[in-house]
């Protein structure tokens, strides 16, 4: 198992398939994009499947989430999902995406064995979407989410980040729309993971702000810690149910004590936390011919060194050099 010195056991693996993205969200990367990883730096499809197999069969991983960048840009995605679905024991598999490519891929991903998707959508207004993402693709995202729902990639979860002066007034509208369309909405506090290092704590939209806004239109009843478990989102029942809404308060209400995640970057590095400043290299071991047992040992060593928390509340906190697109959401 992947155990750390604080007694936490990682059972949830986040796998970044690419650092590339077809949007340029203002809270993630600059308009001109980034210096992308070279093809030789990226793990191959076979290397990704091998690492997931080791994680599932030797290290106790039960859930796999494919991320990016934008994972739908990975040409071999469907084949990767299909091979991982054949593992014993079979892990639960999900995908975090911007939704642009879902209309054409949802059916194939479901047939390959993907269980569900998380889709990022911060606004219901096409003009605001264009400002936030620097791309005019709002309609594609909406259609992609509908295609995912129709394909059975459910529950479709929606991840929304509220930005001051842009979409900070949309929380109630987003929730009403999600309830109507049977999507599960999750608001995420903006985190210091932008490539520009422009994040500021002052002025950010907090979990408290979001809940205050939602309560102007809805009755919210907290589910409680027993229901939450190790999930990052605190959840509330909306107007007596069955719909729920979640808030992932990574900055103001960190949940590090219950963290059960390990992360693999697109270039084969283990990260113990989104905000980690250190990584452990598995790609070199793979390519030097190391057996599965040695790779599993290296992964265990990496996770043993996991810190108690993200360090966001520490005055000496340093934002990771690698942006969200490189390390996976």
């Amino acid at each position: 198992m992947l155990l750390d010195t604080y007694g936490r056991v990682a059972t949830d693996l986040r796998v970044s398939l690419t650092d590339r993205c077809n949007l340029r969200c203002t809270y993630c990367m600059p308009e001109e994009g980034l210096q992308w990883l070279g093809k030789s730096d990226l793990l191959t499809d076979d290397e990704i499947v091998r690492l997931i197999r080791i994680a599932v069969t030797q290290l106790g991983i039960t859930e796999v989430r494919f991320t990016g960048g934008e994972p739908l840009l990975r040409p071999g995605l469907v084949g990767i999902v299909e091979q991982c679905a054949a593992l014993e024991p079979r892990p639960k598999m999900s995908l975090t995406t911007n939704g642009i490519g879902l209309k054409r891929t949802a059916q194939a991903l479901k047939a390959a064995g993907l269980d569900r998707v998380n889709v990022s959508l911060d606004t219901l207004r096409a003009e605001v979407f264009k400002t936030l993402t620097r791309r005019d693709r709002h309609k594609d995202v909406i259609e992609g989410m509908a295609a995912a729902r129709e394909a059975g990639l459910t529950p479709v979860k929606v991840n929304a980040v509220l930005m001051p002066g842009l979409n900070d007034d949309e929380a109630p509208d987003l929730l009403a729309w999600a309830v109507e369309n049977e999507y599960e909405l999750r608001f995420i506090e903006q985190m210091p993971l932008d490539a520009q290092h422009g994040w500021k704590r002052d002025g950010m939209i907090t979990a408290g702000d979001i809940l205050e806004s939602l309560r102007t239109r809805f009755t919210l009843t907290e589910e409680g810690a027993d229901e939450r478990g190790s999930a990052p989102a605190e959840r509330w029942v909306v107007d007596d149910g069955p719909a729920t809404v979640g808030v992932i308060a990574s900055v103001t209400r960190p949940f590090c004590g219950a963290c059960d995640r390990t992360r693999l970057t697109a270039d084969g590095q283990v990260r113990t936390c989104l905000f980690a400043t250190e990584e452990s290299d598995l790609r070199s071991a793979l390519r030097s011919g190391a057996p599965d047992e040695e790779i599993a040992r290296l992964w265990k060593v990496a996770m043993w060194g996991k810190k108690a928390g993200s360090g966001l509340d520490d005055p000496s906190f340093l934002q990771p050099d690698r942006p969200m697109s490189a390390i996976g959401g």
Side-chain angles (χ1 to χ4, degrees):
M1 68 175 65
L2 293 172
L3 178 69
D4 67 33
T5 56
Y6 298 92
R8 297 168 298 193
V9 177
T11 57
D12 185 335
L13 169 61
R14 304 297 169 99
V15 182
S16 176
L17 298 179
T18 178
D19 60 330
R20 295 174 184 265
C21 189
N22 43 10
L23 296 180
R24 297 290 181 269
C25 298
T26 56
Y27 52 77
C28 185
M29 68 174 71
E31 187 170 4
E32 65 274 14
L34 300 169
Q35 181 66 47
W36 309 121
L37 292 167
K39 185 175 181 180
S40 62
D41 295 325
L42 293 171
L43 294 175
T44 66
D45 293 358
D46 287 344
E47 287 171 337
I48 290 170
V49 172
R50 183 183 174 195
L51 287 174
I52 293 173
R53 176 174 55 76
I54 292 170
V56 169
T57 62
Q58 297 192 32
L59 297 173
I61 291 298
T62 59
E63 296 189 34
V64 177
R65 172 84 61 84
F66 298 106
T67 71
E70 174 46 52
L72 294 182
L73 295 179
R74 178 88 186 200
L77 172 60
V78 172
I80 291 170
V81 171
E82 191 170 33
Q83 290 184 73
C84 292
L87 294 173
E88 292 290 344
R90 182 197 187 281
K92 295 179 182 177
M93 290 186 295
S94 57
L95 177 101
T96 295
T97 172
N98 61 31
I100 288 174
L102 269 179
K103 186 176 180 180
R104 60 177 173 79
T105 57
Q107 290 288 349
L109 287 168
K110 180 64 176 179
L114 192 71
D115 294 307
R116 64 169 193 83
V117 294
N118 281 31
V119 182
S120 298
L121 180 68
D122 304 320
T123 177
L124 298 176
R125 305 192 295 248
E127 69 278 8
V128 175
F129 182 91
K130 188 174 180 180
T131 299
L132 275 168
T133 67
R134 305 184 179 103
R135 298 291 187 271
D136 190 10
R137 306 297 299 272
H138 188 259
K139 181 173 179 285
D140 297 318
V141 178
I142 298 297
E143 291 180 350
M145 294 173 65
R149 183 186 58 207
E150 291 163 10
L153 293 171
T154 55
V156 175
K157 295 186 179 181
V158 181
N159 296 335
V161 176
L162 299 183
M163 301 290 289
L166 286 174
N167 62 338
D168 52 347
D169 62 334
E170 284 198 66
D173 290 339
L174 280 163
L175 181 53
W177 172 81
V179 170
E180 179 183 353
N181 288 278
E182 299 182 334
Y183 301 137
E184 292 191 17
L185 180 62
R186 302 288 183 269
F187 291 100
I188 305 176
E189 289 182 336
Q190 184 196 2
M191 294 179 283
L193 292 168
D194 58 306
Q196 312 92 296
H197 287 214
W199 177 87
K200 292 182 175 59
R201 187 183 300 268
D202 294 340
M204 65 169 283
I205 308 301
T206 67
D209 297 330
I210 294 165
L211 292 169
E212 182 179 358
S213 178
L214 292 176
R215 286 184 171 120
T216 63
R217 196 183 305 181
F218 302 95
T219 299
L220 303 180
T221 305
E222 190 169 5
E223 277 195 337
D226 290 342
E227 292 287 340
R228 181 182 185 184
S230 60
E234 297 176 76
R235 297 204 312 176
W236 284 262
V237 177
V238 180
D239 290 345
D240 298 324
T244 63
V245 63
V247 179
I248 299 176
S250 303
V251 178
T252 62
R253 304 180 187 176
F255 40 86
C256 304
C259 182
D260 64 350
R261 298 179 182 180
T262 182
R263 299 177 181 275
L264 185 65
T265 67
D267 55 349
Q269 311 299 305
V270 171
R271 294 182 64 86
T272 59
C273 175
L274 268 177
F275 304 104
T277 54
E278 307 87 18
E279 297 177 338
S280 301
D281 183 15
L282 294 186
R283 185 186 64 195
S284 294
L286 279 174
R287 295 182 179 177
S288 65
D292 289 358
E293 292 74 19
E294 173 61 11
I295 292 169
R297 185 192 68 81
L298 292 171
W299 208 328
K300 288 179 181 179
V301 170
M303 292 305 295
W304 186 249
K306 184 172 182 171
K307 295 180 179 178
S310 63
L312 278 172
D313 292 328
D314 190 322
S316 63
F317 172 77
L318 293 175
Q319 183 172 334
D321 289 333
R322 302 186 80 180
M324 174 79 81
S325 64
I327 61 182

